[in-house]
Amino acid sequence: MNNVDPQEVAKFGDQAHHWWDKDSQFRPLHEINPLRMGWIESLAGVRGQRIVDVGCGGGILAESLAAAGAIVTGIDLSAKALSVARLHMLESGVENLDYREISAEALAAEQPGAFDIVSCMEMLEHVPDPASTVRACAALARPGGWVFFSTLNRNPKSFLLAIVGAEYLLKLLPAGTHDFARFLRPSELARMARAADLSVFATQGMGYNPLTQRYRLTPDTSVNYLLACRKPGG
Ligand code: SAH
């Protein structure tokens, strides 16, 4: 099965020219980027690590990881997003960064166990079969390696904040950006991770304060959250 929803990928491709515009719908990704970077850095350390960023889009996280000294491959199925990522990489002069148009499943078949760290951020809620992506991420990590996910929780509060609030009231995101049915509870994502032979190491919430218009790390995983996993061995 091809684990991709072409409409979802087209949606990101159509907006790709906005990717590095911090006042666009990609602003939330720019805002959460230092938070997730800091969390990954504190748990796994990134300097000198081989990292694959799955569903990298325009390269917001991939570029920061490379700038922090990692050797990074960013993969996505949106050719347009990857063009923007490559252009921005040239502009910022970051080294040790490579982008490829390939699925996580295909790269996992090609280079199993090749990465110290796998990151897959804000992407699982856009694919038809997230468990397949989780398995591919697990396969990409070396024994003892780290796998980081982030996505949106599924409950009445996340419906209100992430869909009604973000898409309709605050208009942080275009209407239709997210499909509530594809949100994943931390318990569901943890189950997928364990089924892929990963051990769940930690969860971390990210919260948005509409008054200060800032995101922050919080223990509350009820809307946006991160999950850190480890692959046994190593
Ligand atoms: N991870 C980036 C971008 C998140 S936006 C960040 O957090 O900054 C979601 C990205 O997932 C888009 O770039 C979209 O093209 C990509 N995507 C959606 N389905 C995909 C799939 N099946 N395989 C790879 N990338 C996919």
Side-chain angles (χ1 to χ4, degrees):
M1 192 194 100
N2 219 359
N3 181 20
V4 57
D5 182 338
Q7 273 182 321
E8 287 288 304
V9 169
K11 213 160 63 183
F12 286 101
D14 289 345
Q15 297 301 318
H17 51 291
H18 290 303
W19 215 290
W20 287 88
D21 175 357
K22 292 184 181 163
D23 292 319
S24 72
Q25 68 271 36
F26 295 109
R27 178 171 159 198
L29 295 180
H30 288 278
E31 291 263 329
I32 62 175
N33 199 51
L35 304 177
R36 59 196 188 183
M37 260 302 287
W39 199 60
I40 295 171
E41 177 84 82
S42 70
L43 289 175
V46 302
R47 177 161 297 280
Q49 305 284 311
R50 294 160 303 167
I51 304 183
V52 60
D53 187 31
V54 173
C56 63
I60 297 173
L61 178 65
E63 213 179 84
S64 308
L65 290 165
I71 303 124
V72 182
T73 303
I75 65 169
D76 204 286
L77 290 178
S78 166
K80 288 183 184 163
L82 290 171
S83 308
V84 169
R86 288 191 187 104
L87 272 178
H88 199 272
M89 170 182 82
L90 292 178
E91 239 175 71
S92 49
V94 171
E95 288 174 5
N96 293 323
L97 177 52
D98 182 35
Y99 288 109
R100 285 185 65 187
E101 186 180 337
I102 186 169
S103 70
E105 287 87 347
L107 188 66
E110 193 186 295
Q111 295 186 54
F115 297 91
D116 302 303
I117 300 174
V118 181
S119 56
C120 178
M121 302 281 158
E122 315 302 324
M123 183 264 200
L124 292 173
E125 68 274 23
H126 300 286
V127 301
D129 183 359
S132 165
T133 306
V134 170
R135 282 193 299 275
C137 289
L140 284 163
R142 67 158 166 85
W146 289 87
V147 184
F148 293 92
F149 299 103
S150 73
T151 191
L152 284 153
N153 201 339
R154 192 179 71 260
N155 55 49
K157 181 177 169 190
S158 70
F159 179 76
L160 271 177
L161 296 190
I163 308 249
V164 181
E167 295 187 11
Y168 294 92
L169 299 178
L170 303 177
K171 302 195 192 302
L172 296 174
L173 301 171
T177 297
H178 285 123
D179 175 358
F180 181 66
R182 283 191 169 161
F183 291 5
L184 289 171
R185 297 193 183 113
S187 58
E188 293 166 337
L189 182 51
R191 201 176 317 130
M192 288 177 193
R194 284 192 295 267
D197 244 347
L198 294 172
S199 63
V200 172
F201 189 82
T203 52
Q204 173 68 61
M206 289 184 289
Y208 183 68
N209 180 337
L211 297 178
T212 58
Q213 303 187 357
R214 296 249 167 255
Y215 284 88
R216 64 188 195 299
L217 292 181
T218 152
D220 178 0
T221 56
S222 59
V223 186
N224 290 85
Y225 68 95
L226 296 140
L227 185 79
C229 303
R230 294 209 75 168
K231 183 150 161 176

